[in-house]
Amino acid sequence: MTLAWREETARRRDIPASWLVKDPTLIELARLAPRSDEDARRIRGIGKSLPAGDVQTLLQAVADGLEADLP
């Protein structure tokens, strides 16, 4: 879910996806599954660099991924 968000957002902003959020940051998001803005901003690569709306969207993507049925 977070990867899809990154790809779609990068495409809309016309920037490389890795400029938005790097792969290691996405891995940490998946591993730690933060539930709050504060927890997410502690992850290296998010910090203060992402706007609040992007962080909230990432948090929702993580939550959706946790609830998704895996094959």
Side-chain angles (χ1 to χ4, degrees):
M1 298 287 183
T2 56
L3 182 60
W5 168 84
R6 180 180 74 167
E7 296 300 323
E8 290 170 19
T9 303
R11 193 173 309 120
R12 273 196 322 270
R13 294 180 187 175
D14 196 26
I15 61 173
S18 63
W19 286 10
L20 191 58
V21 179
K22 303 242 183 259
D23 289 345
T25 302
L26 291 179
I27 292 168
E28 281 300 292
L29 277 167
R31 189 176 73 80
L32 298 174
R35 298 196 184 271
S36 71
D37 184 270
E38 185 178 309
D39 290 342
R41 291 198 182 275
R42 288 187 185 127
I43 296 173
R44 184 177 186 185
I46 294 180
K48 297 178 182 175
S49 64
L50 282 179
D54 286 348
V55 174
Q56 290 304 315
T57 303
L58 275 173
L59 289 171
Q60 186 60 52
V62 169
D64 291 348
L66 290 172
E67 294 174 7
D69 291 330
L70 299 176

